[in-house]
């Protein structure tokens, strides 16, 4: 397993502490062939944006930070996966596993549709590469313990990576609770919550004719047995995901009515 090449990316930018925590994690685990393809700036909550204009250059520079090896890409998180996996030969023709994160903030349930972290992982899977997205819940006091989370990630990835590699090409979403908690917390493999965020708005403080978002993150529904309920109760949540969002039951139902 330790010969497996690893591509790291994120949506918080190449200089984010979560990316350094993930680099330290995989190096501590013994992986040697590790490279980074990370965005030049943060793109949180920008979902699956990509650069598709052939006239628009995606600038690439060597990454020179904290001994980490790789490139900085002036593009979106999904662009980083595209460029790192297809545009550049970072691994001499070998097929890497993609790890996206560790994001500063959880990516639970419906967040999967907004998250740049999951977009980078999802793009990798669309291109034929297995991928794991990793995120850290920010505590109510804003605390993020990256060193502790890096150690938790090493324990989770130690048993999850072999399973992911056996599947060939799959997408996994991992969320870590905020510290301080038991070291390490328990792990649950759970489904994604389909419930919306606690959406609310208030008058914008500087624009009288505008509204600003005011939905408290911790007041979102925590349906029992889902990733939201697990993480909010102090558990590391793991959710396997699929690219295909087709509703096959409705598909077959409509086909049946059409043919009747």
């Amino acid at each position: 397993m330790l010969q497996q090449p690893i591509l790291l990316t994120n949506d918080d930018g190449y200089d984010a502490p979560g990316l350094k925590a993930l680099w330290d994690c995989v190096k501590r685990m013994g992986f040697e062939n590790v490279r980074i393809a990370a965005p030049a700036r943060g793109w949180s909550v920008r979902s699956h944006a990509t650069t598709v204009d052939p006239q628009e250059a995606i600038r690439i520079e060597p990454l020179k930070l904290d001994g980490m090896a790789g490139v900085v890409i002036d593009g979106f998180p999904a662009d980083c996966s595209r460029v790192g996996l297809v545009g550049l030969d970072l691994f001499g023709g070998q097929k890497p596993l993609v790890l996206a994160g560790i994001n500063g903030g959880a990516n639970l349930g419906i967040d999967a549709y907004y998250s740049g972290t999951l977009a980078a992982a999802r793009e990798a899977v669309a291109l034929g590469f297995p991928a794991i997205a990793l995120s850290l819940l920010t505590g109510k006091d804003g605390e993020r313990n990256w060193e502790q989370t890096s150690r938790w990630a090493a324990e989770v990835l130690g048993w999850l990576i072999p399973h992911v590699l056996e599947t060939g090409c799959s997408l996994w979403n991992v969320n870590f609770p905020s510290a301080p908690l038991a070291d390490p917390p328990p792990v649950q493999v759970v489904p994604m919550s389909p419930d919306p965020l606690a959406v609310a708005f208030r008058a914008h403080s500087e624009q009288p004719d505008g509204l600003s978002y005011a939905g408290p993150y911790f007041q979102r529904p925590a349906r029992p047995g889902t990733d939201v309920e697990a993480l909010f109760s102090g558990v590391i949540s793991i959710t396997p995901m699929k690219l295909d969002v087709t509703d096959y039951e409705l598909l077959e139902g409509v086909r049946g009515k059409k043919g009747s």
Side-chain angles (χ1 to χ4, degrees):
M1 183 184 80
L2 297 180
Q3 300 303 314
Q4 171 66 41
I6 304 284
L7 178 68
L8 306 184
T9 187
N10 70 350
D11 76 347
D12 288 331
Y14 72 96
D15 56 351
L19 183 63
K20 180 60 165 59
L22 188 55
W23 172 273
D24 291 342
C25 165
V26 295
K27 298 300 284 188
R28 185 187 305 115
M29 293 175 69
F31 289 97
E32 295 295 334
N33 193 4
V34 184
R35 297 292 182 272
I36 288 173
R41 50 156 291 186
W43 291 107
S44 294
V45 202
R46 294 299 185 272
S47 191
H48 210 118
T50 52
T51 303
V52 295
D53 185 350
Q55 304 302 315
E56 184 178 355
I58 301 176
R59 294 188 296 277
I60 304 166
E61 297 180 357
L63 174 61
K64 301 177 181 178
L65 183 67
D66 295 331
M68 299 187 293
V71 292
V72 177
I73 297 170
D74 187 16
F76 301 107
D79 287 330
C80 293
S81 292
R82 285 183 169 187
V83 172
L85 296 170
V86 179
L88 301 173
D89 186 14
L90 296 177
F91 299 98
Q94 293 181 285
K95 186 174 183 178
L97 165 69
V98 176
L99 302 180
I102 300 170
N103 188 67
N107 281 305
L108 296 165
I110 208 74
D111 301 347
Y113 291 99
Y114 317 133
S115 167
T117 305
L118 269 159
R122 189 186 304 114
E123 183 66 27
V125 174
L127 293 171
F129 300 84
I132 305 172
L134 303 104
S135 304
L136 169 62
L137 177 67
T138 301
K140 294 180 180 180
D141 58 359
E143 181 183 2
R144 295 171 181 167
N145 188 324
W146 291 115
E147 194 280 329
Q148 185 178 63
T149 305
S150 180
R151 287 189 284 108
W152 292 351
E155 296 198 28
V156 170
L157 293 176
W159 65 264
L160 181 58
I161 286 178
H163 179 73
V164 172
L165 296 178
E166 287 176 3
T167 66
C169 183
S170 56
L171 174 62
W172 298 78
N173 187 29
V174 179
N175 282 279
F176 298 98
S178 56
L181 291 168
D183 196 3
V187 176
Q188 290 183 7
V189 182
V190 288
M192 159 186 161
S193 169
D195 296 317
L197 292 169
V199 178
F201 293 90
R202 61 185 171 219
H204 195 279
S205 60
E206 297 180 4
Q207 297 181 19
D209 58 347
L211 297 175
S212 59
Y213 182 71
Y217 192 84
F218 286 94
Q219 291 184 17
R220 65 190 298 170
R223 185 182 303 200
T226 65
D227 56 351
V228 176
E229 190 266 344
L231 189 70
F232 282 9
S233 64
V235 169
I236 298 173
S237 71
I238 300 179
T239 303
M241 294 183 166
K242 297 172 65 175
L243 297 188
D244 187 353
V245 296
T246 304
D247 188 322
Y248 285 96
E249 184 176 348
L250 287 179
L251 179 68
E252 293 306 317
V254 171
R255 282 177 172 173
K257 290 182 179 179
K258 184 179 180 181
S260 61

